[in-house]
Amino acid sequence: QVQLVESGGGLVQAGGSLRLSCAASRGTFSNYAMGWFRQAPGKEREFVATIRRSGYTKYADSVRGRFTISRDNAKNTVHLQMDSLKPEDTALYYCAADKWDSVYYTSQYQYNIWGQGTQVTVSS
């Protein structure tokens, strides 16, 4: 099965942008639906965005219009472009893979493979 490694996190001022990347190794990347989740201190992990095997995308209401998820199956990579960042976007961001391309794609429990996370901090 695939293994996932995130990169691209960092410290940015409010209104700025970051681009997260998630590189997959082993397995057949195109067979997986992919998602991004985030977890802020003291809060539960929450859904951010997903891109399914078909290319269909879905976003959390809190990020729609500001974040864009994309995938490059040739490079085994999924990206999360984050624009107009806000302090409330501060969190540890995780990339995740869903082998079953489940319809319950906003639930973290549908994703069976996770990366180690990359920290995003947005200062006000």
Side-chain angles (χ1 to χ4, degrees):
Q1 62 183 18
V2 299
Q3 294 182 338
L4 305 174
V5 177
E6 302 97 332
S7 61
L11 174 63
V12 64
Q13 289 188 334
S17 298
L18 282 174
R19 187 187 193 214
L20 304 184
S21 297
C22 174
S25 60
R26 303 183 182 177
T28 304
F29 177 73
S30 60
N31 286 348
Y32 293 80
M34 301 299 296
W36 285 96
F37 288 76
R38 66 186 181 186
Q39 187 167 19
K43 294 187 177 181
E44 294 187 355
R45 189 175 299 184
E46 66 175 2
F47 168 78
V48 175
T50 184
I51 184 164
R52 316 311 290 169
R53 291 196 298 234
S54 65
Y56 173 80
T57 59
K58 175 80 172 178
Y59 298 91
D61 290 344
S62 59
V63 308
R64 188 176 296 113
R66 300 187 297 121
F67 290 11
T68 303
I69 189 171
S70 62
R71 67 188 298 163
D72 185 339
N73 288 338
K75 295 183 178 180
N76 293 348
T77 305
V78 61
H79 300 287
L80 185 68
Q81 177 66 41
M82 306 187 295
D83 299 318
S84 302
L85 282 162
K86 305 175 181 179
E88 51 263 44
D89 294 319
T90 295
L92 188 61
Y93 282 71
Y94 295 93
C95 173
D98 172 11
K99 181 179 180 181
W100 307 110
D101 203 14
S102 168
V103 297
Y104 302 106
Y105 39 70
T106 62
S107 170
Q108 60 175 311
Y109 302 107
Q110 297 304 319
Y111 294 79
N112 54 314
I113 303 169
W114 292 82
Q116 81 290 349
T118 185
Q119 179 67 37
V120 171
T121 303
V122 184
S123 63
S124 58

